[in-house]
């Protein structure tokens, strides 16, 4: 029985939509630890394609080697943040998310079935989340834990429809974090204007601005038991200044 269960988890029916996880990542002391943790999660998800986009002029050896050994189907891309963002940007990772979507628009077509999820490298993801999002028809949504100075934010659902948001940051049409929604692949392919805006972007508005180009509140598909289950947490790794002394001088260590 146990063997059967295992097999059924591993089998991927030919019509099972692919989950495309787009992860922006940048050099920080916690990068490899974050990617290792995320890879350990994603490796267990059937029919998943990981699009890892480095915020860098060139692909790093660290991420290249990590992905080669990851045993996860992946695409490795890179794009540096624009010059006007070099000293900080209100939309971290979004140049990279746009490149991930460009790749999909160039390499996938209307006959491909899938779902696109923007999975930051330092969040924590329950495996169940991926099966919740897999059959997204247009845009699906769910709660995100540890966000906006709250234990969670979530879509408010009435009679199976999203009617508003429980959030620490009100005033947004879509009161969700990047981790709280997924978009059907064909909706992304059919709407090339759906991109994240970096220049002149207002802090905290990028998810809402992006979703406004794709859908309306009443069309959202609530997941995770009508948005009552937390399956992803906006955990953040400690900020870099804590780890100033990452490497000893003249010691060749892989960190
Ligand atoms: C929050 C949101 O959860 C992010 O989705 C959003 O992009 C970000 O704020 C923002 O709007 O700036 P937060 O934990 O504050 O996330 O941000 P990070 O985890 O530092 O960055 C989000 C993602 O972008 C990560 O995968 C990170 O590796 C990447 N990133 C960050 C870059 O690629 N370049 C950077 O310079 C900074
Ligand atoms: Mn983060």
């Amino acid at each position: 029985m146990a063997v059967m269960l295992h097999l059924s988890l591993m089998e991927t029916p030919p019509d099972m939509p692919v989950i495309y996880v787009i992860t922006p990542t940048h050099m920080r002391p916690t990068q490899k630890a974050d990617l290792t943790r995320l890879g350990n999660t994603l490796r267990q998800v059937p029919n998943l394609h990981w699009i890892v986009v480095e915020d860098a002029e060139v692909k790093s050896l660290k991420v290249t080697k990590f992905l080669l050994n990851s045993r996860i189907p992946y695409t490795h891309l890179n794009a540096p943040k624009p010059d006007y963002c070099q000293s900080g940007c209100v939309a971290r990772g979004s140049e990279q998310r746009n490149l991930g979507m460009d790749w999909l628009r160039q390499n996938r077509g209307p006959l491909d079935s899938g779902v696109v999820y923007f999975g930051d490298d330092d969040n924590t993801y329950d495996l169940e989340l991926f099966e919740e999002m897999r059959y997204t028809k247009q845009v699906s949504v769910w709660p995100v834990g540890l966000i906006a100075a709250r234990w969670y934010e979530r879509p408010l659902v009435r009679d199976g429809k999203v009617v508003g948001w429980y959030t620490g940051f009100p005033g947004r049409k879509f009161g969700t974090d990047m981790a709280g929604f997924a978009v059907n692949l064909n909706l992304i392919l059919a709407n090339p204007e759906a991109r994240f805006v970096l220049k002149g972007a207002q802090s905290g508005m990028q998810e809402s601005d992006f979703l406004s180009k794709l859908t309306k509140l009443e069309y959202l598909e609530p997941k995770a038991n009508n948005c009552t289950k937390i399956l992803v947490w906006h955990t953040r790794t400690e900020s870099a200044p804590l780890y100033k002394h990452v490497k000893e001088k003249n010691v060749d260590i892989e960190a």
Side-chain angles (χ1 to χ4, degrees):
M1 191 60 197
V3 173
M4 298 263 297
L5 192 69
H6 182 69
L7 275 178
S8 69
L9 279 173
M10 299 306 287
E11 272 167 19
T12 55
D15 55 350
M16 185 190 251
V18 179
I19 298 174
Y20 294 96
V21 177
I22 299 180
T23 299
T25 185
H26 74 302
M27 217 303 281
R28 49 180 162 180
T30 57
Q31 183 181 31
K32 195 161 168 197
D34 289 335
L35 289 174
T36 299
R37 189 153 35 102
L38 180 51
N40 287 346
T41 301
L42 300 186
R43 188 179 305 111
Q44 303 179 68
V45 181
N47 241 20
L48 180 143
H49 186 112
W50 198 8
I51 302 176
V52 177
V53 193
E54 282 194 72
D55 181 349
E57 293 281 353
V58 290
K59 295 185 179 78
S60 69
L61 190 59
K62 181 191 287 189
V63 177
T64 303
K65 278 167 76 174
F66 166 78
L67 287 171
L68 272 172
N69 291 322
S70 70
R71 289 176 282 124
I72 302 168
Y74 70 89
T75 296
H76 185 187
L77 306 170
N78 68 290
K81 58 174 86 56
D83 287 347
Y84 56 83
C85 275
Q86 287 301 338
S87 56
C89 205
V90 296
R92 273 160 292 172
S94 280
E95 183 79 0
Q96 292 71 32
R97 295 183 185 103
N98 285 338
L99 184 66
M101 286 191 284
D102 288 344
W103 186 88
L104 286 169
R105 288 174 178 132
Q106 285 156 17
N107 292 279
R108 293 294 181 271
L111 295 181
D112 293 306
S113 72
V115 61
V116 180
Y117 181 55
F118 301 104
D120 288 352
D121 56 8
D122 58 343
N123 294 337
T124 305
Y125 306 88
D126 189 310
L127 291 176
E128 209 181 310
L129 177 71
F130 299 97
E131 300 319 317
E132 287 288 318
M133 73 173 74
R134 191 183 296 277
Y135 291 92
T136 298
K137 294 187 190 81
Q138 292 194 24
V139 178
S140 57
V141 289
W142 51 78
V144 177
L146 311 176
I147 185 94
R150 304 198 164 201
W151 273 28
Y152 59 86
E153 281 184 335
R154 74 180 188 99
L156 298 170
V157 180
R158 196 184 304 141
D159 300 330
K161 295 265 180 209
V162 177
V163 293
W165 308 89
Y166 171 79
T167 170
F169 180 18
R172 293 173 294 163
K173 203 189 274 184
F174 298 90
T176 182
D177 178 73
M178 205 64 76
F181 65 91
V183 184
N184 182 284
L185 172 68
N186 280 296
L187 196 62
I188 296 272
L189 301 183
N191 291 280
E193 76 290 353
R195 304 176 68 76
F196 292 101
V197 176
L198 284 97
K199 199 153 201 166
Q202 249 183 295
S203 177
M205 295 304 287
Q206 60 172 340
E207 294 89 347
S208 190
D209 290 346
F210 176 74
L211 289 172
S212 300
K213 296 173 194 162
L214 287 171
T215 189
K216 291 192 162 71
L217 192 72
E218 57 263 38
Y219 301 145
L220 293 176
E221 298 148 54
K223 301 289 186 186
N225 195 20
N226 277 328
C227 300
T228 59
K229 267 168 102 172
I230 298 171
L231 297 173
V232 55
W233 293 263
H234 186 252
T235 44
R236 300 176 86 182
T237 41
E238 295 274 17
S239 57
L242 280 178
Y243 306 107
K244 273 195 294 261
H245 304 290
V246 179
K247 289 183 185 180
E248 299 154 78
K249 280 199 185 102
N250 307 321
V251 176
D252 189 14
I253 187 164
E254 286 188 38

